[in-house]
Amino acid sequence: MSFAVSGVNCAAATPYNVDLTIDFGLFTDHCRQLLAEGCHGIALLGTTGEANSLSDEERRAMLEAALKVGIAPQQLIPGTGLNAAAETAELTRHALANGVTTVVMLPPSYYKGVTDEGLFAAYARTIEAVGDNRLRVVLYHIPQVSGIPLSRVLVARLIAAFPDVIVGIKDSAGDLSNMQAIAAAHPGFAVLAGADPLLLPLLKSGGAGCITATSNLIAASLRAIYDNLDDESVTGPAQERINAWRNLSNSYVQIPTIKAMIGLKSGNRGWRRVRPPLLALDEAQFAGLAGKYEALP
Amino acid sequence: MSFAVSGVNCAAATPYNVDLTIDFGLFTDHCRQLLAEGCHGIALLGTTGEANSLSDEERRAMLEAALKVGIAPQQLIPGTGLNAAAETAELTRHALANGVTTVVMLPPSYYKGVTDEGLFAAYARTIEAVGDNRLRVVLYHIPQVSGIPLSRVLVARLIAAFPDVIVGIKDSAGDLSNMQAIAAAHPGFAVLAGADPLLLPLLKSGGAGCITATSNLIAASLRAIYDNLDDESVTGPAQERINAWRNLSNSYVQIPTIKAMIGLKSGNRGWRRVRPPLLALDEAQFAGLAGKYEALP
């Protein structure tokens, strides 16, 4: 099965300077490290990347920074979905102008209780506003954060209406059966798990890969699973490692915890910083985390 | 009791042209009409105004359009709260540069399950980024849409930290007892009801006024209550009228219904248009609404 987007993609975290401006140098170092560890792609500017706390200008600057250090446009999958369709289209056009053709697109998420018909219209309007037939869109289903589930009926309708554009979905809701149902219904459509432990079972049932947070830390283990799907001597220990790291990343609020763990791994405490409304782990939490971190497989 | 912001303020709806660009002429006509009908202020660019479906550029253009037709800066209370603090600060600075000093500020609302401490940091960072001591902020509590409640503890902490800046709250959660508790705890702090039927009881218990959707339609009745609070021969019929109009506006999804009712009142069907993910009422819904509209007091 060939997919427009597949493999192990990291929902890259965004490091900040002391004044909470973006540390571009540390970010691009991190991206190159992720590719060296086995990531197929960098899904920058997602939920984990705190993109929703960045200005549009900062988002464009991050994509440009990654390109500037020589990361191939084909390895970058930026998030471009904002509440205002005009801004989603503008960010997406900026990516395309830089040769980056595949984006992860959140639905507009402020207004709640909207219909499939309304969400279809929102995506259609944005795709038409972008007006570029190179565009490839990965839908983004993360209802526990966005408040806006993307139903299977809506996904099917979008694929039918824009078969060359709507190429995949990042499903971060954690329900494997939903991912499997989408994969079964739409061969060649890329279902990407948003939770690291689900990469293995999803790949075994027609999925294309993952876009995950823990890949900021253990990309090599995810890649080992992707490359050795039928070799239990590889996937067994890799899955065990993934589960342990993922579980630890959920011991406190996930994004600050992931960033604290990147700090522990890299030795750079600056990684602990987050932008409000998120807060960095406090010293007691960090000490607790650091203790358990030492014991990880 | 004197408040920095008070009275009847309309969460003005945003009219669109056929291509869903903003109909600025119709918008400014509507604003002037609202003031003529008795509104003290225009709370443009709120939830009802579909501000979360507008680009930052469009938001600035709407505020400038209202000023250009001669509406006083003191009569305008734009919404400026976005997810990214830098953009909230930029929009707020734009308002201040145009002499508009009071804004309604949503908290960042993408990341869920955040703490009071994190929300405090988000507001503080934005206020400091604006860096203008003329700034007056109305907090915006609308958890059923934003997903982010503003607790009374957080409100008290913000008032204590920024006593000259944090001057009020628009409470759209519909719980009168919460509004009363805030008003009782903070004399002089402006509690503004987000639901029209609550203007009367809130004013009787220390509230400052309202910012509401139905005031797009029946501002005169709300003003009559505000001006004749102790005259039941006025407030009785006015409240009955408000309740009836408000109830009808909730017969379908509220924003498209309010806009359809403005269309019925003004004779301009263009008012029915909304931006996705919202959808205009369909013909059957509109016909049903129009029938009931005729019977309104």
Side-chain angles (χ1 to χ4, degrees):
Chain A
M1 187 69 66
S2 152
F3 298 104
V5 52
S6 61
V8 175
N9 301 281
C10 181
T14 302
Y16 300 117
N17 298 305
V18 178
D19 63 358
L20 295 187
T21 56
I22 296 164
D23 185 337
F24 288 101
L26 187 55
F27 173 66
T28 52
D29 286 352
H30 182 56
C31 290
R32 286 193 289 200
Q33 169 87 1
L34 291 169
L35 294 170
E37 287 180 12
C39 283
H40 294 91
I42 309 292
L44 68 169
L45 297 167
T47 300
T48 303
E50 294 170 81
N52 303 79
S53 300
L54 307 181
S55 70
D56 292 6
E57 191 183 332
E58 289 175 320
R59 287 172 180 248
R60 289 191 294 268
M62 281 185 69
L63 186 62
E64 289 170 18
L67 290 163
K68 206 167 173 181
V69 297
I71 298 174
Q74 297 74 23
Q75 291 179 302
L76 295 166
I77 315 172
T80 62
L82 292 158
N83 288 328
E87 295 189 353
T88 302
E90 194 188 329
L91 273 183
T92 305
R93 278 194 300 263
H94 171 265
L96 286 158
N98 283 280
V100 174
T101 55
T102 306
V103 303
V104 179
M105 202 180 279
L106 271 174
S109 67
Y110 181 73
Y111 294 102
K112 303 300 190 298
V114 297
T115 60
D116 279 358
E117 179 82 18
L119 291 170
F120 178 85
Y123 272 114
R125 187 160 171 258
T126 303
I127 291 166
E128 282 152 18
V130 173
D132 188 323
N133 60 22
R134 294 174 300 158
L135 174 63
R136 301 293 176 264
V137 169
V138 176
L139 303 171
Y140 192 1
H141 177 57
I142 183 168
Q144 71 274 29
V145 181
S146 68
I148 304 294
L150 304 182
S151 75
R152 292 206 292 274
V153 170
L154 171 63
V155 171
R157 190 168 161 200
L158 283 165
I159 294 170
F162 303 100
D164 297 329
V165 176
I166 303 290
V167 298
I169 187 167
K170 175 181 178 190
D171 186 337
S172 295
D175 174 6
L176 181 63
S177 67
N178 187 60
M179 303 177 212
Q180 290 170 324
I182 296 173
H186 307 287
F189 180 74
V191 180
L192 303 162
D196 307 79
L198 299 181
L199 174 64
L200 177 60
L202 180 61
L203 285 173
K204 284 184 178 276
S205 43
C210 66
I211 299 179
T212 62
T214 317
S215 53
N216 280 285
L217 297 157
I218 46 159
S221 297
L222 291 154
R223 180 62 183 261
I225 283 183
Y226 188 82
D227 287 341
N228 302 279
L229 199 54
D230 297 319
D231 183 347
E232 268 185 42
S233 73
V234 175
T235 60
Q239 184 74 359
E240 214 167 292
R241 186 157 185 264
I242 289 164
N243 291 346
W245 284 69
R246 161 84 176 187
N247 287 344
L248 186 57
S249 81
N250 280 331
S251 31
Y252 306 104
V253 177
Q254 194 191 23
I255 296 171
T257 308
I258 288 276
K259 293 181 87 171
M261 290 169 74
I262 301 172
L264 288 165
K265 185 178 175 194
S266 65
N268 184 331
R269 291 170 57 98
W271 267 110
R272 291 167 61 182
R273 299 180 192 115
V274 296
R275 281 195 182 173
L278 299 176
L279 292 176
L281 299 192
D282 64 30
E283 289 306 322
Q285 291 171 330
F286 187 71
L289 183 77
K292 291 177 193 151
Y293 181 90
E294 292 306 319
L296 281 172
Chain B
M1 188 66 69
S2 152
F3 299 105
V5 52
S6 62
V8 175
N9 301 283
C10 181
T14 302
Y16 300 118
N17 298 305
V18 177
D19 63 358
L20 296 187
T21 55
I22 296 164
D23 185 337
F24 289 100
L26 188 54
F27 173 66
T28 52
D29 287 352
H30 181 56
C31 291
R32 286 193 290 199
Q33 169 86 3
L34 291 169
L35 294 170
E37 288 180 11
C39 284
H40 294 90
I42 308 291
L44 68 170
L45 298 166
T47 300
T48 303
E50 294 170 82
N52 304 79
S53 299
L54 306 181
S55 69
D56 292 5
E57 190 183 333
E58 289 175 320
R59 287 172 179 247
R60 289 191 294 268
M62 280 184 71
L63 186 63
E64 290 170 16
L67 290 163
K68 207 168 172 180
V69 297
I71 298 174
Q74 297 74 22
Q75 292 180 302
L76 295 167
I77 315 171
T80 61
L82 292 159
N83 289 328
E87 295 189 351
T88 301
E90 193 188 331
L91 273 183
T92 304
R93 279 194 300 263
H94 171 265
L96 286 158
N98 283 280
V100 175
T101 55
T102 307
V103 303
V104 179
M105 203 181 277
L106 271 173
S109 68
Y110 181 73
Y111 295 102
K112 302 301 189 298
V114 296
T115 60
D116 279 358
E117 178 82 18
L119 292 170
F120 178 85
Y123 272 114
R125 187 160 172 257
T126 302
I127 290 165
E128 283 153 18
V130 173
D132 188 322
N133 59 20
R134 294 173 300 156
L135 175 62
R136 299 294 176 264
V137 168
V138 175
L139 304 171
Y140 192 1
H141 176 57
I142 183 167
Q144 70 276 30
V145 181
S146 68
I148 305 294
L150 303 183
S151 74
R152 292 206 291 273
V153 170
L154 172 63
V155 171
R157 189 168 164 201
L158 284 165
I159 294 170
F162 303 100
D164 297 329
V165 175
I166 304 290
V167 297
I169 186 167
K170 176 184 177 188
D171 186 336
S172 295
D175 174 6
L176 181 63
S177 66
N178 187 60
M179 303 176 213
Q180 291 170 325
I182 296 173
H186 308 286
F189 179 75
V191 180
L192 302 162
D196 307 80
L198 299 181
L199 174 62
L200 177 60
L202 180 61
L203 286 174
K204 285 183 177 278
S205 43
C210 66
I211 299 179
T212 62
T214 317
S215 54
N216 280 285
L217 296 157
I218 47 158
S221 298
L222 291 153
R223 180 63 184 261
I225 283 183
Y226 188 83
D227 287 342
N228 302 277
L229 199 54
D230 297 318
D231 183 346
E232 267 186 42
S233 75
V234 175
T235 60
Q239 184 75 356
E240 212 168 294
R241 186 158 185 263
I242 289 165
N243 291 345
W245 283 69
R246 161 84 176 188
N247 287 343
L248 186 57
S249 81
N250 280 331
S251 33
Y252 306 105
V253 176
Q254 193 191 25
I255 296 171
T257 309
I258 289 276
K259 293 182 85 172
M261 290 169 75
I262 301 173
L264 287 164
K265 185 180 176 195
S266 66
N268 184 332
R269 291 171 57 99
W271 267 111
R272 290 168 61 183
R273 297 179 194 118
V274 295
R275 281 194 181 174
L278 300 176
L279 292 175
L281 300 191
D282 64 29
E283 289 306 322
Q285 290 171 329
F286 187 72
L289 182 77
K292 290 176 194 151
Y293 181 90
E294 292 306 319
L296 282 171

